[in-house]
Structures are given as structure tokens and as C-alpha cells.
Amino acid sequence: MTNGKSKGPGSVTSRDVAKAAKVSQALVSRAFTGHGRIAPETRERILKVADDIGWQPNALARSMVTGDAPLVAVITTRLHFDWRAQVLSHLLKAVQEWHLKPLLFYAESDDQVDRLLEESIGWRTRGVIVTAGNVQTKRAEAILSGGRFFAALNRPANHPGAFSIATDNTRGGATAASLLLAEGRRRFLVISGPQDSWAPSLRANGFMAAIRAQGEAVTVWHNETMTIEAGKDCASAFLALPAGARPDAVFATNDALALGFMDGLRGKVSIPDDLSLIGFDNLPASSWTPYQLTTFEQPLDEMVSRIVDYVNLHQQLDGRHDPTRTSDNGLVHCSPKIILRSTTKADQ
Amino acid sequence: MTNGKSKGPGSVTSRDVAKAAKVSQALVSRAFTGHGRIAPETRERILKVADDIGWQPNALARSMVTGDAPLVAVITTRLHFDWRAQVLSHLLKAVQEWHLKPLLFYAESDDQVDRLLEESIGWRTRGVIVTAGNVQTKRAEAILSGGRFFAALNRPANHPGAFSIATDNTRGGATAASLLLAEGRRRFLVISGPQDSWAPSLRANGFMAAIRAQGEAVTVWHNETMTIEAGKDCASAFLALPAGARPDAVFATNDALALGFMDGLRGKVSIPDDLSLIGFDNLPASSWTPYQLTTFEQPLDEMVSRIVDYVNLHQQLDGRHDPTRTSDNGLVHCSPKIILRSTTKADQ
DNA sequence: CTGAAAGCGCTTACAG
DNA sequence: CTGAAAGCGCTTACAG
């Protein structure tokens, strides 16, 4: 990393503005902050001079002095065609409305998240919002003990002082199960992601528990990735089954898998005649003509606004732990909303 | 914006670490920067103490002293299911590899971009990368004159000292035209976005110029938005045409329009028998089974790496304008790459 | 209403 | 090798 940035003509400071406006440096500061007394006309003059020179206060220096940087660390990962882009978009909007600036920490893979979390500490942000990877208790602790907030989206925060908002994945799985059960389906299949993935596993488990509670059997197929391609692969595996042994009810723990599965079955299996299919996420594509997938919408708006509430509360409490918190490890659930479309039978 | 953040126990400083390690404050700084002499054992001890306390250097204070914040401002907008999420993902990855931190400026709409650009100046970032909205010359000037770099992606930077990398949209349009012409198509339609949109207009114009150069006629339909829904609306309009008057070659200036158009035509018009269709962007969905859209891939990797090159050069030149630059207003083109799939005839 | 001074938390010459 | 001091660019009491 060469830098060699010299203090060129670019380093204009409030001092230069003060000189040009023939006032003290303190006054130009007051002209910008609005704090402290200053004659309106002086203020106008200073603002004009500053504009001419093209100067505005150095936000870093200001943060230094005030001891507070209007920054929030956001940990994210690859924005594939994915639910994650929507999450980030909502989050960025909320942060913007807060008048805070998101400092992005981008992970290529989940195992980089811990390092990024550590790195974020140096920036003295107001707090951090995690949307990728797993959170270690000691990291959350390090951040919270600095008086910063810590919010996790769709993953456990693993700390009682933190805030975690997640879709009620287990419930979603159970809802999917009862829907398929009510249709009279009997041979159940779950297509899911890696065994250790948090949300998909909860969805799968919720589904399986509900199916088994009715005395029915259910199979799971795990996939390395949860992509369209993996969904297609599942379709191939499905088609390789003897016709009589094929499941007639499939729950995909995300929409990408479901869409790929549909594509792989296209022209060979009729949905929902031969089988019913339910996904999870409600991707934009799930509502498109060739798919019309029954799926669950995660209430992103609600989730983000809950984070906003938490952060506001945290700011009011000035970083102290919320005493009213019935510390369920900080985990809060939102109900996923079923979106009925054409991959399940209409008469529900 | 209430803040009221008090200097609680969170405000640990290098001084506290120094005290605990029984050394001067300067030494703990040296332990972390690696600059200046320090006994290896002293360093180890300090690092250990710091870790116990949970302290690490305040990045803001460091930037203050060094006069250089490892920050880059990235201006973006809503990450709908869209090409933009891919752009941002690539960009974030590049910035990360640079060991810089992206400070995100999020615009809800294009007209907010100018304000964000102004706001970015206060952060004294190394530079700014714009991926949304229009750039005003004076803003680019304000940023460049501060010694910062200024890069625009898929839009004009409107300043000779700036860098702008864009797909050669005009060429893409022309390529689409020759492909359809070579197929023997005769009735050409362009479906595009708003009249004043930059890239889509260039694509449309490139297409139309090439068609007209062959003495053929071509119609354009403009849309307020460039979405799936707008594409469907175009399909309805298409179907409302008397069969004999229907175009047999359609160029959509982005994939979303093309995909929506296909969905609207599904079961009524056969592609590519009745008409050929070409899009632009190569969205992930464009390769999915129900679409298989012929389209143009924008060479994102190349575009981002060109930005990286520019920034590296800029850093070497220390913010001075590149004298070797044959100032074409800083605009550099990348060739879009045609991806032939099934919405055009195979034998090209 | 205005200015001189202290101080935010660091880094980096400069002495020792 | 270590420490005391100056200074980064601001904001904010404190005097005037």
C-alpha cells in the first residue's frame, strides 16, 4: 500500500477559511456547527467564503473532538442474485435516514466475518450490524462493552446484551408442513443447504418436526450451496427416482433452490398436479410468470425497523444494557408471511 | 438526532494501555504501527496488555495525524433485483482488497446523488466512485481539486481529470442490430427506458443508427421504468398490434425489460420463430431455463479492474492530474460481450 | 458577539 | 530502546 499523499493544496483547513474571512478559526467552526453565538451576518460571510474556497469541516476531526463518529459498521458478504442485496438495500436506506454513514465490511466468505468484526472496532462506530457469518460471543462483548450497539440480522448474536432479529424460521417450516399436509400430500422431501447453516436448518427442522408429529416420514437432501444450480441438481436426483417413489411435496429452504428445482422439472413433472412446492424468501423472480412459487416473505421492513428501534433505544440508554430486557439472548422473531401462488393447490 | 454519548468506560485510549503496561504512550503507538524502534519483548507485552483490555488504535485519530483516511466514498442507489447489486458486490470486493474501507452513500433516487457527492467531501476520503445519478462538473472538480480520485461507472464523469469506465453501449446496440439484420428480420422495435437515461439511450441510438444505415425502419417504445412489469406492458402493447404489423425483431435495452416482455408473450408468440429478442446486462435470470435470453454481458471484472488501475495510478501521481491522459473527458469504453442463447436464431 | 486556549487520541520527529 | 513534546483539524468552554 503506497500512499505518499503529501499535504498538497488539497489540505485546506478552517484556518484558511478564517484567514480569508478575516475572523478567528473558532468562528468558522461556529458558523458550521450552529453552536455558540455568532452574528448572522458574520455567519453568512463565512459560509460564503468557505463555499468559494470549497471547504467544509473535516468530519474525522469533528468526530475526534466530539468523541462520536456518525458511523455504523455493516458487515455483509457477496451480493449474488440473492436475498442479501435486498437486505443491504433496506439497511442502507435506514442508516441513511438516521443520518449515519454505513462503513461497509465486505466478507468474501463467512469465515472472514470474525476478522472484520474485530477490524470494525478500530473505527469507533456507533455500533455494528451483522448480516453475514457467525458471531462469537467475545466479539459481541468487545463491541458492546465499548458502548456500541450490536445487531444481528437473521442470525444469533450469541450475547444477551445484543439484539438479534430473525424470521421465525422454525415456524415457517411448520407452516409449510401443515399446508402440504392439508393438501393430502404423503411423501415429503426437504431440499436444503449445508447441515450447519443456521436459518435453513431451522426451517428444515420446523418442517420435519411438524410432518413427523403427524406420523409421516420425510427425507432431507442437503446441498453445498443454495443456488439455482443446486436446485436443478436436486431435480435430476428427483427424476432419477422410480416414479412411484417420488415425493409429492417438496419444501425448499430457500427460493433459489426452489426455482432451480422447478427449472429442472420443467416439462417432466407437473406442479402442483404431481407435486407441491414451497420455497422461502420470496425473491422477485418467484413471482414471475414461469415460476409463481408459493413461498414465505421475510418481513424485511419490519426487521429493519426493529433494528432501528433497538438502536434508538440503545442511544437513549447511552450504551448501558437495557435493564428491561428479558434477555432471551437478545433474539427476536418476526413471522414469515406465506405467499400462496401456483406451486401449491389453490383451495387452502 | 439525539446523541448524548458520554465518555463512559468505553473510551479506553492508548494512554490506559500505556499505564497498564508501564510504558510511555508513544511506545504503545509504536507497538501497533510497527514504525520506529521498539524492543520486540516490549512490543509483545504491550500487544498482550492491549488485547486484555480490548483496545486497538482509534482509526479516526490515526487518520487525523497521518492526514490520510483509508476510506473511499461509494455512491450507490437501491439494490433492487438488478445489475447494480452485482456492480456493488464487485466494487466492494476490490475496495476490500485495497485495504480501504467503503463509506457508502445511498441515494433513494438519482437526484439525491449530487447532495451525497457534496456530503462525501467532508469525509476526506481517498476518492469517490459513483455508480448512480448524474455527475455535475463542479462536483467532480471539487473532489479532484482536493487531491482525491473520482471514478464513475457506466456514466460520464463530465470532467477531464476524472475517470469514467462504461460499456460501449452504442457498439452494443449496433451489434444487436447487425445480428438481427443478419437473421433477415425486417420490422424492428426497441424497448427502452426514459428518454433521458444515459446508457439505455446510447444502446437504443446505436441500434437505430445501424438499422437505419441499412435503409430499414425502427420504432422505439420508451418506458418510465426498466422493470419486468414495464416489459410485460410492452408485451401487451405488442399483442394489441395487428398480427401483420408486429415487429419481428426486438432489442430491449436491459434484461429486465426483455424478461418481462418474454413473460408477457409466453404462449402467444413463439421466440425466436415469430420474433427474435436481444437484451442487455446478462442478469443471472437471463440464463435460466424459461428465458435463455440472448443478451450482452457487461465486463464487470474488467471495468472494476480498470477503476483499480486508475486509482493506483492516481495514488502514485499523488493526486496530480495525469499528464499522459489524452483527456477524452476521461471516458473509457469496454466492449460488451454478446451471449448467444435461444431468443435469437442459432445459426449466426 | 468574538477570540485565545485547551483538548480529542493518536503518530512521529527529536532528544536522551 | 524509550520518553517528552509537538501537532493533525477541529469544537467548545472560558474570557473578554
Side-chain angles (χ1 to χ4, degrees):
Chain A
M1 199 80 294
T2 59
N3 168 24
K5 182 144 296 186
S6 66
K7 298 297 150 48
S11 294
V12 179
T13 73
S14 58
R15 207 137 236 131
D16 298 306
V17 176
K19 206 168 302 175
K22 301 194 188 308
V23 292
S24 70
Q25 180 270 328
L27 263 188
V28 359
S29 181
R30 286 200 274 266
F32 276 84
T33 59
H35 303 163
R37 311 221 153 292
I38 182 171
E41 52 198 43
T42 313
R43 177 157 189 277
E44 287 311 315
R45 183 158 47 93
I46 294 174
L47 259 24
K48 166 129 186 32
V49 170
D51 188 52
D52 290 347
I53 295 184
W55 176 89
Q56 54 180 265
N58 182 328
L60 275 53
R62 168 179 288 171
S63 298
M64 203 64 276
V65 178
T66 60
D68 172 59
L71 249 25
V72 26
V74 176
I75 316 284
T76 189
T77 187
R78 317 168 79 162
L79 273 23
H80 292 311
F81 164 57
D82 191 31
W83 196 68
R84 207 175 297 278
Q86 295 177 59
V87 169
L88 187 62
S89 192
H90 279 251
L91 228 35
L92 292 179
K93 185 180 175 196
V95 172
Q96 180 81 10
E97 283 168 357
W98 247 327
H99 299 290
L100 296 183
K101 285 284 154 252
L103 192 60
L104 245 74
F105 292 78
Y106 176 86
E108 264 293 291
S109 62
D110 277 3
D111 50 295
Q112 298 177 7
V113 168
D114 190 61
R115 189 175 52 71
L116 294 180
L117 238 24
E118 181 178 16
E119 198 183 334
S120 78
I121 295 178
W123 287 93
R124 307 297 194 267
T125 61
R126 290 265 183 93
V128 3
I129 300 175
V130 201
T131 71
N134 303 316
V135 177
Q136 296 183 19
T137 301
K138 66 167 186 178
R139 286 289 172 235
E141 174 60 30
I143 290 162
L144 288 162
S145 71
R148 294 186 267 285
F149 66 77
F150 189 96
L153 202 147
N154 257 2
R155 61 208 63 247
N158 294 322
H159 193 291
F163 180 78
S164 169
I165 181 87
T167 298
D168 192 336
N169 293 298
T170 309
R171 166 116 79 108
T175 303
S178 45
L179 194 68
L180 297 175
L181 248 5
E183 280 188 358
R185 300 298 187 178
R186 301 298 301 272
R187 296 184 306 281
F188 303 91
L189 169 66
V190 178
I191 59 185
S192 191
Q195 297 250 23
D196 62 349
S197 55
W198 191 70
S201 295
L202 291 176
R203 292 168 196 167
N205 292 341
F207 182 86
M208 295 191 291
I211 296 292
R212 287 175 181 148
Q214 298 304 310
E216 304 288 342
V218 49
T219 315
V220 202
W221 289 352
H222 290 284
N223 294 273
E224 297 269 316
T225 59
M226 300 183 68
T227 57
I228 291 274
E229 289 70 31
K232 274 197 185 172
D233 291 344
C234 289
S236 303
F238 179 95
L239 293 171
L241 259 28
R246 289 180 184 167
D248 61 2
V250 179
F251 175 46
T253 58
N254 84 353
D255 276 6
L257 284 173
L259 300 181
F261 190 70
M262 289 180 80
D263 281 346
L265 259 33
R266 225 168 266 282
K268 293 162 185 152
V269 170
S270 167
I271 300 175
D273 297 331
D274 302 335
L275 72 83
S276 288
L277 174 66
I278 301 180
F280 212 107
D281 282 349
N282 194 28
L283 292 185
S286 301
S287 68
W288 296 354
T289 306
Y291 298 102
Q292 291 295 322
L293 176 68
T294 291
T295 185
F296 291 91
E297 177 187 310
Q298 301 197 53
L300 248 188
D301 284 320
E302 182 187 348
M303 295 170 86
V304 170
S305 80
R306 296 291 283 269
I307 291 183
V308 169
D309 292 343
Y310 157 70
V311 172
N312 286 337
L313 183 62
H314 181 97
Q315 308 229 114
Q316 281 168 35
L317 291 172
D318 204 21
R320 292 183 308 262
H321 286 190
D322 179 356
T324 68
R325 204 61 163 296
T326 56
S327 152
D328 170 26
N329 236 359
L331 198 75
V332 172
H333 280 131
C334 284
S335 295
K337 185 178 153 207
I338 182 95
I339 310 284
L340 294 170
R341 287 197 278 246
S342 335
T343 59
T344 45
K345 294 184 181 164
D347 44 293
Q348 286 305 318
Chain B
M1 198 79 295
T2 59
N3 168 25
K5 181 144 297 186
S6 66
K7 297 297 150 48
S11 294
V12 180
T13 72
S14 58
R15 207 137 234 129
D16 299 305
V17 176
K19 206 168 301 174
K22 302 191 188 308
V23 292
S24 70
Q25 180 270 327
L27 262 189
V28 357
S29 180
R30 284 200 275 264
F32 275 83
T33 60
H35 303 163
R37 309 222 155 290
I38 182 170
E41 52 199 44
T42 313
R43 177 157 190 276
E44 287 311 315
R45 182 158 46 91
I46 294 174
L47 259 23
K48 166 128 189 29
V49 171
D51 189 50
D52 290 346
I53 295 184
W55 176 89
Q56 55 179 263
N58 182 328
L60 275 53
R62 167 179 288 171
S63 297
M64 204 64 274
V65 178
T66 61
D68 171 58
L71 250 25
V72 25
V74 176
I75 317 283
T76 189
T77 186
R78 319 169 78 161
L79 272 24
H80 292 310
F81 164 57
D82 191 29
W83 196 68
R84 208 176 297 277
Q86 295 178 58
V87 169
L88 187 61
S89 192
H90 278 251
L91 228 35
L92 292 179
K93 184 179 175 198
V95 171
Q96 180 81 8
E97 284 168 357
W98 246 326
H99 299 288
L100 297 183
K101 285 283 153 257
L103 192 60
L104 244 73
F105 291 78
Y106 177 86
E108 264 293 289
S109 63
D110 277 2
D111 50 296
Q112 297 177 5
V113 168
D114 190 60
R115 189 176 52 71
L116 294 180
L117 239 23
E118 180 177 16
E119 198 182 334
S120 77
I121 295 178
W123 288 93
R124 306 297 194 268
T125 61
R126 290 267 182 92
V128 3
I129 301 175
V130 201
T131 70
N134 302 315
V135 176
Q136 295 183 21
T137 301
K138 66 167 185 179
R139 284 293 170 233
E141 175 59 31
I143 289 162
L144 288 161
S145 70
R148 294 186 267 285
F149 66 77
F150 190 95
L153 202 147
N154 257 2
R155 61 208 62 249
N158 295 322
H159 193 291
F163 180 78
S164 169
I165 182 86
T167 299
D168 192 336
N169 293 298
T170 309
R171 167 117 78 110
T175 303
S178 43
L179 194 67
L180 297 175
L181 248 5
E183 280 187 357
R185 301 298 187 178
R186 300 299 300 271
R187 295 184 306 282
F188 303 91
L189 169 66
V190 177
I191 59 186
S192 191
Q195 297 250 22
D196 62 349
S197 56
W198 191 69
S201 294
L202 290 176
R203 292 168 195 166
N205 291 341
F207 182 86
M208 294 191 291
I211 296 291
R212 287 175 181 147
Q214 297 304 311
E216 304 287 342
V218 49
T219 315
V220 203
W221 290 351
H222 290 284
N223 294 273
E224 297 270 315
T225 59
M226 300 182 69
T227 57
I228 291 275
E229 290 68 33
K232 274 196 186 173
D233 291 344
C234 288
S236 302
F238 179 95
L239 293 171
L241 258 29
R246 289 179 184 168
D248 61 2
V250 179
F251 176 46
T253 59
N254 85 353
D255 276 5
L257 284 174
L259 300 180
F261 190 70
M262 289 181 80
D263 282 346
L265 258 34
R266 225 169 266 283
K268 292 161 186 154
V269 169
S270 168
I271 299 175
D273 296 332
D274 301 336
L275 72 82
S276 287
L277 174 65
I278 301 180
F280 212 107
D281 281 350
N282 194 29
L283 291 185
S286 301
S287 68
W288 295 354
T289 307
Y291 298 101
Q292 291 295 322
L293 176 69
T294 291
T295 185
F296 291 91
E297 176 188 310
Q298 301 197 53
L300 248 188
D301 284 319
E302 182 187 347
M303 295 169 87
V304 170
S305 80
R306 296 290 283 268
I307 290 183
V308 170
D309 292 344
Y310 157 71
V311 172
N312 286 336
L313 183 63
H314 182 97
Q315 307 227 116
Q316 282 168 34
L317 291 172
D318 203 23
R320 292 183 306 263
H321 287 190
D322 179 356
T324 68
R325 202 64 161 295
T326 55
S327 153
D328 171 25
N329 236 0
L331 198 75
V332 172
H333 280 130
C334 284
S335 295
K337 184 177 155 208
I338 182 97
I339 309 284
L340 294 171
R341 286 197 280 245
S342 336
T343 59
T344 44
K345 293 184 182 165
D347 44 293
Q348 285 307 318

